[in-house]
Amino acid sequence: MAARLASVYLDGCLSLELRPAKYYSANNLPILVREFPPMTNREPLGRVLLIGGTHADELTSISSVFKWMHKLRRYHTGMFHWRITPLLNPDGLLVNKSTRTNANGIDLNRNLPTPEWQRLSQDYWIRTTGRDPRRYPGQTPGSEPENKWLVEEIDRFKPDIIVSVHAPHGIVDYDALDRRSAPHRIGMLHRDFLGTYPGSLGNYAGVHRGIPVVTLEMPHANVMPSAKEITHMWVDLVYWLQRNVPKIKMAKTRLNGQEVPDATASK
Ligand SMILES: [Zn+2]
């Protein structure tokens, strides 16, 4: 499946007009991005950054994003301004056996520069994971090229919300300063709060920077949901975004001029 997916990735990129982000992975592979820009005469409800394949052994997290990009290519109405990278971690996919980590053996979702990263991430890795090599956060925060791109992309694009796709917990998670509007259900995925981790995207963007993160956890890492289910998830996601992104933007406007509180600790 990895080989098949790899070929889908490379060929699909061409048909989807993915462009290199001018950033390269640790192994020098391009991080590819597709933009679905605002349409003339329609102000989008907000900017959405959609990310798949942070953990490249979660194959469904990559394929689902491709499926949704194909839907957008046909039906993009300008409701949102999208930037999409279906595979944040190309190194982990384009090897014989796909890996969670990047080519430097680092878990990208533990390496983002969250507050007190040095102490908390090492402590978490040693005490909680028992030095699990699949969850190694690296030596310094934000050290990895894939995460440098991600942090700069957040600065450049200023997303109102981030949707990040993983597997295999089969739930929808939500990290934000205010979690009252967290989605109850997206397709077959029911809400569950898995907690935030030092260096994770939910912690970095959702808690530390005040940009809510919807995490969709597919039920299996390498068995795709049915086409019907993929559509169901997409419809639910877009419907939730439509209702909630305007509220998120309004809340942010109210906070304007005030500091977004820092995360003091991670659960
Ligand atoms: Zn994951």
Side-chain angles (χ1 to χ4, degrees):
M1 169 125 184
R4 258 205 335 269
L5 190 59
S7 72
V8 166
Y9 176 59
L10 295 173
D11 298 343
C13 296
L14 299 173
S15 74
L16 282 164
E17 298 157 41
L18 282 144
R19 59 176 173 76
K22 297 188 191 118
Y23 270 76
Y24 293 85
S25 66
N27 251 356
N28 222 24
L29 292 164
I31 294 167
L32 298 171
V33 182
R34 169 72 199 255
E35 180 153 36
F36 292 89
M39 313 278 251
T40 34
N41 302 328
R42 184 176 188 182
E43 181 69 25
L45 294 176
R47 290 183 293 273
V48 188
L49 180 61
L50 171 60
I51 302 165
T54 303
H55 296 139
D57 58 352
E58 298 165 3
L59 302 178
T60 51
S61 80
I62 308 161
S63 298
S64 307
V65 174
F66 269 106
K67 302 264 183 216
W68 294 330
M69 286 170 77
H70 280 290
K71 287 190 193 302
L72 269 176
R73 197 164 68 125
R74 292 180 67 184
Y75 304 115
H76 178 51
T77 60
M79 185 192 291
F80 291 101
H81 179 182
W82 296 86
R83 277 201 197 158
I84 303 177
T85 181
L87 180 53
L88 179 66
N89 177 10
D91 294 347
L93 180 69
L94 300 177
V95 288
N96 282 340
K97 190 177 183 307
S98 55
T99 61
R100 177 180 173 94
T101 56
N102 76 349
N104 293 332
I106 290 171
D107 182 342
L108 298 175
N109 205 35
R110 299 291 181 273
N111 175 255
L112 285 161
T114 48
E116 289 194 75
W117 183 93
Q118 207 72 45
R119 182 174 63 80
L120 294 174
S121 73
Q122 302 302 319
D123 188 68
Y124 178 84
W125 183 59
I126 293 164
R127 284 171 202 265
T128 310
T129 78
R131 298 176 190 266
D132 180 353
R134 298 177 72 248
R135 287 171 173 76
Y136 180 55
Q139 299 256 313
T140 50
S143 59
E144 297 313 289
E146 298 85 353
N147 279 345
K148 287 194 167 92
W149 171 78
L150 182 54
V151 167
E152 287 182 26
E153 183 66 10
I154 291 170
D155 291 339
R156 266 189 305 264
F157 183 49
K158 299 182 174 49
D160 297 299
I161 191 151
I162 299 173
V163 180
S164 178
V165 189
H166 285 261
H169 295 288
I171 55 103
V172 53
D173 196 354
Y174 189 65
D175 291 293
L177 293 171
D178 178 355
R179 299 206 291 189
R180 281 174 296 183
S181 54
H184 287 278
R185 193 177 58 76
I186 299 288
M188 72 172 100
L189 312 175
H190 285 267
R191 183 174 70 196
D192 196 359
F193 296 128
L194 294 178
T196 54
Y197 308 95
S200 74
L201 181 62
N203 192 344
Y204 174 72
V207 182
H208 175 52
R209 295 195 55 170
I211 304 165
V213 177
V214 176
T215 301
L216 302 176
E217 283 268 354
M218 297 290 145
H220 301 281
N222 48 25
V223 180
M224 273 294 278
S226 67
K228 195 174 158 198
E229 186 54 39
I230 285 287
T231 302
H232 188 186
M233 282 190 254
W234 183 246
V235 169
D236 281 359
L237 176 67
V238 172
Y239 184 61
W240 183 86
L241 289 170
Q242 192 180 356
R243 282 176 303 152
N244 288 281
V245 168
K247 288 189 226 162
I248 290 164
K249 285 173 72 175
M250 261 163 56
K252 195 139 202 176
T253 308
R254 279 200 298 273
L255 265 176
N256 249 355
Q258 296 172 26
E259 277 292 298
V260 173
D262 269 5
T264 49
S266 297
K267 283 175 277 177

